[in-house]
Amino acid sequence: MALGREGYDRLSQDHLLRAAPPAGSAVVWLGALAVAGTLFAIPLTELLRRRTAGLPLERLGRLLVGLQAVQVAAIAGFALTGRFVAAAAAFLLIGVLRSAADPLWTTWLITRTAPASRATVLSAVGMVGALGEIAGGPPVGWVGQRFSVGRALLACALLTAPAVALLSAALSRSRSEAVTVHR
């Protein structure tokens, strides 16, 4: 997830502003989208919190896989569009999905981790995320300089896509462990 995150964070506003209509200030557009994203993210996060409370771990995992897959598709769509309305919609969707998925990811990770090693695991996840951003950011920046910002954002989607497969594999592994434990 982190490999593509840094590049997206650095280049998404530039891509969005290149598609922005000439009327209005760039700061106004970015501010309006930030406010709209927050206004959408708060109720969605609360809805997901209520709906996932007490949800079996497998269903929570499937939800995370789905949210990640939609995010990859939204980043690819964002990268490929040159129209402001489509770019703004994708930009909002990506931000809202991130805001909603982050607490679910933490919940899933905590429930899959033994209490004695939980702090270490959470710390390691943070460090791996930072390393992913360090490793993924410069190559994406190079693609942006060499080719275009749109292609660099498409590279972000491609770098983020393996997270769907990795989450699916973790989910399959947790299913097989549950079958082994229940026998």
Side-chain angles (χ1 to χ4, degrees):
M1 290 187 279
L3 281 173
R5 192 171 194 139
E6 179 69 15
Y8 175 82
D9 289 345
R10 298 284 179 225
L11 299 173
S12 59
Q13 291 180 355
D14 180 65
H15 183 66
L16 185 65
L17 292 176
R18 288 174 192 254
S25 152
V27 173
V28 172
W29 284 114
L30 292 175
L33 288 171
V35 169
T38 300
L39 292 176
F40 285 124
I42 291 170
L44 178 62
T45 302
E46 177 60 19
L47 175 70
L48 287 173
R49 185 191 66 79
R50 289 180 184 184
R51 297 280 215 165
T52 58
L55 196 65
L57 193 57
E58 181 180 341
R59 289 189 59 200
L60 181 60
R62 284 196 318 250
L63 177 61
L64 281 169
V65 169
L67 288 172
Q68 189 65 35
V70 172
Q71 186 175 335
V72 169
I75 293 170
F78 179 73
L80 295 172
T81 189
R83 299 191 181 270
F84 179 72
V85 172
F91 182 81
L92 282 173
L93 179 61
I94 294 161
V96 169
L97 287 174
R98 277 183 173 183
S99 295
D102 283 348
L104 295 176
W105 164 251
T106 303
T107 300
W108 185 78
L109 189 61
I110 286 171
T111 58
R112 298 275 308 139
T113 307
S117 60
R118 194 167 288 149
T120 303
V121 169
L122 292 174
S123 178
V125 166
M127 287 188 286
V128 169
L131 288 173
E133 289 183 13
I134 291 168
V140 167
W142 179 82
V143 171
Q145 281 187 325
R146 178 76 170 92
F147 300 103
S148 71
V149 171
R151 285 186 182 179
L153 288 166
L154 195 54
C156 292
L158 293 172
L159 288 170
T160 305
V164 176
L166 291 172
L167 283 169
S168 294
L171 184 59
S172 293
R173 181 174 173 209
S174 69
R175 264 189 250 141
S176 67
E177 287 174 359
V179 168
T180 305
V181 169
H182 293 338
R183 284 188 180 176

